[in-house]
Amino acid sequence: MRVIGIETSCDETGVAVYDDKLGLLSHVLYSQVKLHADYGGVVPELASRDHVRKIVPLIKQALSEANSSLNDIDGVAYTKGPGLIGALLVGACVGRSLAYAWNKPAIGVHHMEGHLLAPMLEENAPEFPFLALLVSGGHSMLVQVEGIGRYQVLGESVDDAAGEAFDKTAKLMGLDYPGGPRLAKLAQKGVPAGYKFPRPMTDRPGLDFSFSGLKTFTANTIAAEPNDDQTRANIARAFEEAVVDTLAIKCKRALKQTGYTRLVIAGGVSANTRLRESLAEMMTKLGGQVYYPRGEFCTDNGAMIAYAGLQRLRAGHIEGLEVKGQPRWPLDTLPAVD
């Protein structure tokens, strides 16, 4: 089976073609970073309009690079949610229209399920069951995964997600958009300098996350300290270490609770080097293994949507003719794939 996947949930237009026997045949991505840089963040209306401009050329490019025509495609997958409603509707309209015109089945894919399954694109793919840490600009959650569609959310953000906290803190430090990766790069120059930032919600039971208080603590530290380059780098490091430690502590709790020995990390923040190193060290000590997608599949992309869509289409999950975006969509409401 061969599926084309379309991703338009936020500020990246991604298209990919995936074959269940040959693997990933093509993967093209257009990022809107430059478009939104002047505004310091994503402007939803501009994002939607840019998806409209880029999506058809990218579909043609992905098909060409996959050496595929419409006759070779067996199904169309597109991101249905969560995400920005205008951006979602662009992908949903185009994806559903292509499926209708080509007389192919279509499926709307959950964006976070795409991230969760992204490590399956790698040669060293995890087996079920496993614990998944999904960390991105809009989500931080721990998920017990018994199979595709068999998800139990063990903990999630009660306010700012980890990626959102990175971006907002970077803005407080005067770093350009996108701030999260720039803050992580600045943190590499930092050294321990007596800063001890809080590890939020680790002093109480439970697996939920909260990073808004850490952001405020960092803002107060920035205001109270000298504004030289080394101090800024030290503060960035202290912030990053606090986020990473918090995520690691919660992962360790969840692994103990589930008894699992496999940990998957996915989403944009999973590309963070310090986070990967910390979780790899933790899993080695626990006698387990950590899995994550390559860097280009940590951020939003069409490959993860094509893969997730193929699994559901192959199981007979097909969307009707209705074009619908779902900006809010609990992950644990998805049907299981038998």
Side-chain angles (χ1 to χ4, degrees):
M1 188 175 197
R2 187 171 297 185
V3 170
I4 186 167
I6 300 169
E7 157 61 26
T8 62
S9 65
C10 190
D11 60 343
E12 283 155 329
T13 315
V15 183
V17 176
Y18 188 89
D19 187 285
D20 60 354
K21 293 183 174 62
L22 302 176
L24 187 63
L25 301 181
S26 67
H27 155 59
V28 293
L29 184 72
Y30 171 76
S31 174
Q32 300 177 0
V33 165
K34 292 183 179 178
L35 174 67
H36 301 289
D38 289 343
Y39 304 94
V42 177
V43 181
E45 177 66 19
L46 295 180
S48 303
R49 290 174 181 272
D50 215 37
H51 285 308
V52 171
R53 285 191 288 266
K54 300 297 182 181
I55 191 167
V56 172
L58 287 176
I59 289 171
K60 291 179 178 179
Q61 182 183 346
L63 289 171
S64 175
E65 291 184 6
N67 195 27
S68 299
S69 68
L70 65 89
N71 294 323
D72 300 311
I73 300 299
D74 299 304
V76 179
Y78 56 89
T79 302
K80 182 177 177 180
L84 302 175
I85 184 59
L88 291 171
L89 286 175
V90 174
C93 286
V94 173
R96 193 65 200 77
S97 298
L98 283 179
Y100 182 78
W102 294 350
N103 194 27
K104 310 289 183 181
I107 184 69
V109 173
H110 193 292
H111 179 73
M112 296 311 293
E113 180 173 60
H115 277 304
L116 188 152
L117 296 177
M120 301 299 184
L121 296 166
E122 307 300 334
E123 290 186 9
N124 182 32
E127 296 180 0
F128 298 112
F130 56 77
L131 176 72
L133 172 66
L134 303 180
V135 276
S136 65
H139 300 84
S140 294
M141 61 176 70
L142 282 165
V143 186
Q144 181 176 335
V145 181
E146 297 179 354
I148 298 177
R150 294 183 174 89
Y151 309 133
Q152 181 182 354
V153 177
L154 303 177
E156 57 189 331
S157 311
V158 297
D159 43 49
D160 289 354
E164 186 179 7
F166 262 98
D167 288 337
K168 289 181 176 179
T169 301
K171 194 169 185 178
L172 289 171
M173 301 186 76
L175 299 175
D176 293 334
Y177 174 85
R182 297 181 188 277
L183 188 149
K185 186 176 181 179
L186 178 62
Q188 293 176 359
K189 301 177 182 178
V191 297
Y195 295 118
K196 182 61 177 179
F197 283 19
R199 275 57 175 164
M201 295 182 70
T202 59
D203 59 347
R204 68 189 77 173
L207 297 170
D208 285 337
F209 302 97
S210 170
F211 292 107
S212 63
L214 175 61
K215 178 192 65 182
T216 301
F217 186 94
T218 308
N220 292 336
T221 304
I222 293 169
E225 296 296 315
N227 190 28
D228 60 88
D229 291 344
Q230 189 58 57
T231 299
R232 284 157 44 84
N234 295 344
I235 292 173
R237 174 169 174 164
F239 169 82
E240 183 183 55
E241 287 179 344
V243 173
V244 168
D245 285 353
T246 300
L247 294 173
I249 290 168
K250 298 287 183 158
C251 284
K252 188 174 181 178
R253 284 185 189 174
L255 289 164
K256 183 177 181 180
Q257 178 176 315
T258 59
Y260 291 169
T261 58
R262 289 182 286 268
L263 173 65
V264 161
I265 56 171
V269 182
S270 69
N272 182 278
T273 301
R274 197 179 300 275
L275 177 62
R276 291 193 177 203
E277 291 174 349
S278 176
L279 293 179
E281 181 181 354
M282 181 188 76
M283 293 306 293
T284 298
K285 291 179 180 178
L286 294 175
Q289 192 166 357
V290 63
Y291 301 84
Y292 42 77
R294 73 195 79 166
E296 62 188 313
F297 296 148
C298 290
T299 53
D300 297 348
N301 63 88
M304 67 183 192
I305 302 304
Y307 180 86
L310 185 146
Q311 309 310 312
R312 292 197 169 274
L313 287 170
R314 192 163 53 182
H317 298 189
I318 299 173
E319 294 278 352
L321 291 174
E322 181 184 20
V323 175
K324 184 179 180 182
Q326 202 161 333
R328 295 185 181 277
W329 190 3
L331 181 65
D332 53 9
T333 62
L334 296 178
V337 171
D338 297 322

